[in-house]
């Protein structure tokens, strides 16, 4: 039997919400946090390739990544996988619940 590959999720700085981190970790999900790996002022074009090299899946609410040409190129070149929340009106608890529903098998 083939074991499923472990997935590590990377929480973008804009989601630096403790609720999301705590909820996902409590569900047994491996989480990496932006500020534990990169400077607070790190530009997306600088950290995206590093996250891609690590094979981490980005969780963000930075919808501008898809509008910024250099950031789109960084995502494509590094083959970054990501979930982007575009609604700014959701609480951290709401976002965590939605992420869990999307990534935890039933």
């Amino acid at each position: 039997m083939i074991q499923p590959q472990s997935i590590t999720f990377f929480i973008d700085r804009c989601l630096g919400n403790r609720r999301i981190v705590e909820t996902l970790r409590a569900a047994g999900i491996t989480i990496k946090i932006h500020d534990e790996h990169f400077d607070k002022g790190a530009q997306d074009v600088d950290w995206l390739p590093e996250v891609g090299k690590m094979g981490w899946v980005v969780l963000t609410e930075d919808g501008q990544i898809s509008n910024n040409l250099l950031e789109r190129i960084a995502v494509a070149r590094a083959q970054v996988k990501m979930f982007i929340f575009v609604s700014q009106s959701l609480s951290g608890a709401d976002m965590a619940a939605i992420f869990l529903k999307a990534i935890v098998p039933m």
Side-chain angles (χ1 to χ4, degrees), residues 34-51:
H34 179 279
D35 290 356
E36 293 176 355
H37 297 276
F38 303 101
D39 291 333
K40 291 181 180 181
Q43 299 295 308
D44 293 348
V45 294
D46 295 326
W47 63 258
L48 283 164
E50 297 303 315
V51 168

Side-chain angles (χ1 to χ4, degrees), residues 34-74:
H34 179 279
D35 290 356
E36 293 176 355
H37 297 276
F38 303 101
D39 291 333
K40 291 181 180 181
Q43 299 295 308
D44 293 348
V45 294
D46 295 326
W47 63 258
L48 283 164
E50 297 303 315
V51 168
K53 284 180 196 172
M54 299 302 292
W56 298 340
V57 177
V58 175
L59 304 179
T60 185
E61 64 178 352
D62 182 0
Q64 293 304 309
I65 287 176
S66 62
N67 295 327
N68 181 302
L69 178 61
L70 293 177
E71 292 174 2
R72 284 194 337 248
I73 291 170

Side-chain angles (χ1 to χ4, degrees), residues 10-11 21 25 31-39:
F10 176 84
I11 305 292
V21 172
R25 282 187 173 154
I31 299 294
K32 301 294 181 179
I33 302 169
H34 179 279
D35 290 356
E36 293 176 355
H37 297 276
F38 303 101
D39 291 333

Side-chain angles (χ1 to χ4, degrees), residues 9 50 95:
F9 290 90
E50 297 303 315
M95 284 189 269

